[in-house]
Amino acid sequence: MCAIPFLNFEPMHKLIRSEIMQSFQDVYDSNWFVMGKKLELFEKEYADFNNTKYAIGVSNGLDALHLALKALKIGKGDEVILPSNTYIATALAVSYIGATPVFVEPDTNTYNINPANIEAAITPITKAIMPVHLYGQACDMDAIMVIAKKRNLFVIEDNAQAHGATFNGKVTGSFGNANGTSFYPGKNLGALGDAGAVTTNDEDLQKEITMLRNYGSEKKYNNEVIGFNMRLDELQAGFLSVKLKHINEWTKQRIEIANKYNCALKNIGDLVLPIVHQGATHVYHLYVVKTKNRTELQKHLSDKGIGTLIHYPIPPHLQKAYSFLNYKKGDFPIAEEIANTCLSLPIWPGMTEENIECVCNAIKSFFK
């Protein structure tokens, strides 16, 4: 019995425990818990990390996408193009502002939105493209930005899973007009609760989003627009500043684990391993394989004490929440095939050689 969880925070958090506790004490002793110096510092640090002029800390990743769309004045009667293979939050953000999500099939190798399919989905009411850097791999942003410029469309990157990934040397979350990211605990850069941010190089958008997240107010009790309470609190900002110092090392570990999986699991049964697009980097928020024997493999691994997850078993177009769009099974066959065959293996900073070997041996024993 291996006893390997799908995700284990302990090695990471043990390493930074004293730093986290000091950050907590700083906030506790300051008696300032919302919109303070910790938030200002983290916003500067994350903007620098993401190679953007601005980062605006918000309550979570979904709110980050919502605010980005809202600030770009996208709304009712507009369409936003997004991948058919994504977590439902991407579509929910579009629905929040009254626009219609228009799904486009992913590339069969990378599982990210396929730029070759975008043009056919553009209509006179299309306002934006929302690429998702799924599982940690950068989308083909050069091709997407060419289309957006040609058709005069906004780009809003969903960068929740790809902190620090790049396409042709440029960091994800720095291509679009305004981009949303999540710091949910399980993300590569994770808070100790819900948290998110919007990144942008546009000063006007930065001012608008900063105002929208805080009741539509620049000055206390003066509300310029109808805004929201979507702020990132001081505690989470402080914790994120601590973790940001370590993310490059943790990303290096994720890539090393993925490379070991790649070597050990090559040509095993019908297992399809991750493929990285030329020009892209992958930070392996998730290590996702595909097999037609997923149910049996997942049970086999579970019986041996190895945790796995399925990201995501039901694509957005088949969710009950989006039944009003009148999609049916077979409308997006690539996304549906991925949903039916994908399996995420354990990958987290602190995994040992023994852990990795145990996972690989268990998979090999299944296919034998």
Side-chain angles (χ1 to χ4, degrees):
M1 184 69 71
C2 293
I4 301 170
F6 173 72
L7 178 61
N8 184 4
F9 293 119
E10 187 176 356
M12 298 166 60
H13 288 174
K14 186 176 181 181
L15 175 72
I16 61 172
R17 180 181 174 83
S18 61
E19 294 175 86
I20 289 288
M21 292 303 170
Q22 183 60 59
S23 181
F24 173 82
Q25 186 174 323
D26 290 345
V27 175
Y28 190 82
D29 289 345
S30 75
N31 289 304
W32 193 286
F33 306 110
V34 179
M35 302 285 283
K37 292 181 180 178
K38 290 284 188 185
L39 175 60
E40 289 178 11
L41 177 62
F42 174 69
E43 288 176 332
K44 182 181 185 307
E45 291 172 338
Y46 190 73
D48 289 344
F49 170 81
N50 207 74
N51 199 25
T52 51
K53 290 182 180 178
Y54 309 105
I56 307 104
V58 298
S59 39
N60 56 65
L62 173 53
D63 289 344
L65 294 174
H66 178 191
L67 290 173
L69 289 159
K70 182 81 173 175
L72 289 165
K73 307 295 189 280
I74 298 168
K76 190 174 181 179
D78 297 332
E79 292 179 345
V80 177
I81 292 173
L82 59 152
S84 56
N85 180 43
T86 185
Y87 183 55
I88 199 169
T90 317
L92 291 176
V94 176
S95 298
Y96 281 4
I97 47 92
T100 301
V102 175
F103 299 110
V104 164
E105 286 276 65
D107 181 280
T108 54
N109 290 325
T110 66
Y111 314 144
N112 277 333
I113 192 168
N114 189 340
N117 296 332
I118 291 176
E119 288 255 26
I122 297 172
T123 73
I125 58 173
T126 303
K127 289 295 172 69
I129 306 168
M130 188 180 285
V132 181
H133 306 294
L134 201 65
Y135 310 146
Q137 178 173 186
C139 293
D140 183 348
M141 289 307 301
D142 287 355
I144 291 168
M145 296 308 292
V146 166
I147 296 167
K149 184 176 181 180
K150 174 184 172 185
R151 303 301 291 266
N152 195 29
L153 301 175
F154 295 119
V155 173
I156 303 101
E157 296 171 72
D158 182 337
N159 196 36
Q161 300 186 6
H163 306 133
T166 61
F167 192 81
N168 283 338
K170 188 171 180 179
V171 185
T172 56
S174 68
F175 288 87
N177 300 87
N179 315 290
T181 193
S182 167
F183 304 123
Y184 183 74
K187 297 296 194 283
N188 288 25
L189 178 61
L192 304 186
D194 270 322
V198 181
T199 55
T200 185
N201 289 307
D202 187 313
E203 184 178 4
D204 290 337
L205 286 176
Q206 183 266 341
K207 289 179 179 178
E208 179 80 4
I209 293 163
T210 300
M211 185 167 58
L212 283 170
R213 75 170 175 189
N214 186 40
Y215 299 100
S217 173
E218 283 187 288
K219 181 181 177 183
K220 197 173 179 68
Y221 301 128
N222 288 264
N223 302 84
E224 307 298 324
V225 295
I226 295 173
F228 309 90
N229 178 9
M230 294 181 174
R231 303 171 298 198
L232 175 61
D233 68 63
E234 285 289 278
L235 274 176
Q236 299 303 339
F239 296 153
L240 286 164
S241 284
V242 170
K243 286 192 164 187
L244 189 58
K245 297 173 188 174
H246 300 270
I247 191 172
N248 289 334
E249 174 57 31
W250 290 337
T251 299
K252 182 182 175 184
Q253 288 184 43
R254 286 178 179 274
I255 293 169
E256 288 172 352
I257 294 163
N259 288 337
K260 287 170 183 174
Y261 277 149
N262 289 341
C263 290
L265 298 176
K266 189 177 181 181
N267 299 322
I268 302 295
D270 74 336
L271 208 62
V272 179
L273 306 182
I275 297 172
V276 181
H277 190 286
Q278 185 178 0
T281 62
H282 200 318
V283 295
Y284 294 100
H285 168 59
L286 299 170
Y287 186 91
V288 179
V289 298
K290 289 198 308 176
T291 172
K292 292 178 181 177
N293 303 292
R294 179 182 68 189
T295 302
E296 296 82 3
L297 175 59
Q298 186 174 40
K299 184 181 185 304
H300 175 80
L301 294 175
S302 179
D303 290 344
K304 290 185 176 294
I306 298 168
T308 59
L309 285 178
I310 298 170
H311 297 85
Y312 302 96
I314 305 173
H317 71 280
L318 295 180
Q319 294 282 359
K320 185 178 179 181
Y322 283 102
S323 59
F324 68 92
L325 294 176
N326 297 316
Y327 290 119
K328 60 185 184 304
K329 281 187 179 181
D331 284 346
F332 297 96
I334 299 173
E336 291 169 33
E337 189 264 343
I338 294 168
N340 291 331
T341 59
C342 70
L343 186 66
S344 300
L345 303 183
I347 187 165
W348 31 269
M351 277 189 80
T352 64
E353 293 278 355
E354 185 181 2
N355 292 152
I356 299 163
E357 187 177 346
C358 191
V359 175
C360 293
N361 286 341
I363 291 171
K364 289 175 183 178
S365 72
F366 170 80
F367 283 104
K368 281 180 181 177

